[in-house]
Amino acid sequence: MLKDILVPLADSSTDDAAIRFAIEIGRSQDARVRIIETVYLPPPAIGTPDPTPRPSFLAAQDAQRKEASGRAARIRARITEHPGISVEVHEAVTESPAELAARLGFSADMVILGGWSGFSTPDPIGLALFNALLFDAGRPVVVVPPHWRPSGNACAVVGWKDTPNACRALHAAIPLLQQVQSVQLVEICRYRDEMDVADTVMPSLIEHLHRWGIAASAIKLAGQHRRSSEVLVDHANAVKASLVVVGGYGHSRLREWAVGGMTRALLLGAAIPVLYAH
């Protein structure tokens, strides 16, 4: 069961979907939901003869604080009927908003972010939050597409491969998988002969999920010349899934995480919420 859910805002049109999804999950799990509005206050320039901040600089900071407080107040007014949900304003001074969110994420069971399904590229602020929370804080992150609305919980699809990331994602998703009627563990096979190979891991996974009260089954899909993300999304759409679960993959570049191809393709192409874990 989830007890603490974090919703860092990117101050974009995608935030509303993340808030709606978090409210639904918070209500079903009886969890606390913390909505985070961040004020980025860069320090004054250094190396100048007079390091004292100019009045114009201080006035600009005060304006940023006031603007963030106004956004937070508008959100509070919209969610007054939902108990257990707080809207907090945090100032990022010595760290970036993404670094601040990652630090706050250490005390959260799950993080909810607004997504960019249908966008040509991810929102830079949102992607920085995603990278920091998934890779640096190690939190499971659910990315919710901008136009998401509750549509029932008939089925969830888990993209499975025998890797630590996929295993972490599956176990992190258990509180959400318990809310759907059925779960499909989907293994995408790149070569035709893999379809007939007996799987020694999948039966034990299904048995484990049954012990959690989850009606799980397994299926193999042929990938061949298609991207795995396309196969997974098409299958999720075909079975009318309300959630996709995958391991989140990336690689380090000069100490900054960049999402891998499968992760990026799902971020831009999945029209339903996707839970990632790294």
Side-chain angles (χ1 to χ4, degrees), residues 251-271:
H251 53 275
S252 180
R253 290 180 178 174
L254 300 177
R255 296 180 63 190
E256 294 184 359
W257 280 97
V259 295
M262 171 81 162
T263 303
R264 186 181 183 88
L266 287 174
L267 286 173
L268 297 176

Side-chain angles (χ1 to χ4, degrees), residues 223-267:
Q224 294 183 321
H225 304 298
R226 301 182 64 200
R227 291 181 177 179
S228 297
S229 58
E230 294 176 353
V231 176
L232 193 62
V233 168
D234 285 350
H235 182 73
N237 292 335
V239 299
K240 294 181 170 54
S242 58
L243 177 72
V244 172
V245 177
V246 294
Y249 298 87
H251 53 275
S252 180
R253 290 180 178 174
L254 300 177
R255 296 180 63 190
E256 294 184 359
W257 280 97
V259 295
M262 171 81 162
T263 303
R264 186 181 183 88
L266 287 174
L267 286 173

Side-chain angles (χ1 to χ4, degrees), residues 1-6 31-34 107-111:
M1 180 173 288
L2 303 174
K3 291 299 182 183
D4 276 292
I5 298 171
L6 188 71
R32 178 178 67 165
V33 176
R34 300 172 63 197
S107 57
D109 299 312
M110 185 172 289
V111 179

Side-chain angles (χ1 to χ4, degrees), residues 13-138:
S13 59
T14 65
D15 289 335
D16 286 345
I19 293 172
R20 289 194 300 269
F21 187 87
I23 289 174
E24 288 290 320
I25 298 301
R27 182 189 295 120
S28 66
Q29 296 285 312
D30 193 25
R32 178 178 67 165
V33 176
R34 300 172 63 197
I35 301 173
I36 304 299
E37 175 69 52
T38 303
V39 187
Y40 180 51
L41 301 176
I46 60 174
T48 58
D50 182 7
T52 305
R54 296 176 178 274
S56 59
F57 178 83
L58 297 175
Q61 285 194 333
D62 287 340
Q64 288 174 300
R65 290 188 179 99
K66 187 174 296 185
E67 183 179 346
S69 295
R71 289 193 297 265
R74 289 190 290 273
I75 296 173
R76 289 190 190 100
R78 286 163 41 198
I79 62 172
T80 52
E81 71 276 16
H82 300 290
I85 301 176
S86 64
V87 182
E88 306 169 9
V89 178
H90 290 260
E91 295 184 0
V93 181
T94 60
E95 55 194 347
S96 71
E99 290 170 331
L100 172 61
R103 181 161 54 82
L104 296 172
F106 288 148
S107 57
D109 299 312
M110 185 172 289
V111 179
I112 313 296
L113 291 177
W116 322 283
S117 175
F119 289 27
S120 57
T121 58
D123 170 70
I125 296 176
L127 185 59
L129 289 170
F130 177 80
N131 284 340
L133 288 156
L134 183 67
F135 298 123
D136 296 337

Side-chain angles (χ1 to χ4, degrees), residues 130-212:
F130 177 80
N131 284 340
L133 288 156
L134 183 67
F135 298 123
D136 296 337
R139 295 292 76 212
V141 178
V142 180
V143 178
V144 184
H147 304 296
W148 177 84
R149 289 291 189 281
S151 59
N153 294 315
C155 178
V157 168
V158 178
W160 177 257
K161 57 172 64 175
D162 296 350
T163 65
N165 286 352
C167 183
R168 291 189 190 101
L170 174 63
H171 288 276
I174 281 177
L176 305 186
L177 300 181
Q178 289 176 314
Q179 298 179 16
V180 301
Q181 296 175 20
S182 64
V183 173
Q184 283 193 352
L185 300 179
V186 177
E187 183 178 359
I188 299 172
C189 301
R190 305 307 305 171
Y191 304 101
R192 185 174 298 275
D193 56 358
E194 293 178 346
M195 300 286 289
D196 300 323
V197 175
D199 196 316
T200 58
V201 175
M202 200 70 81
S204 63
L205 283 175
I206 292 174
E207 181 183 0
H208 176 71
L209 293 176
H210 287 172
R211 293 182 64 82
W212 278 101

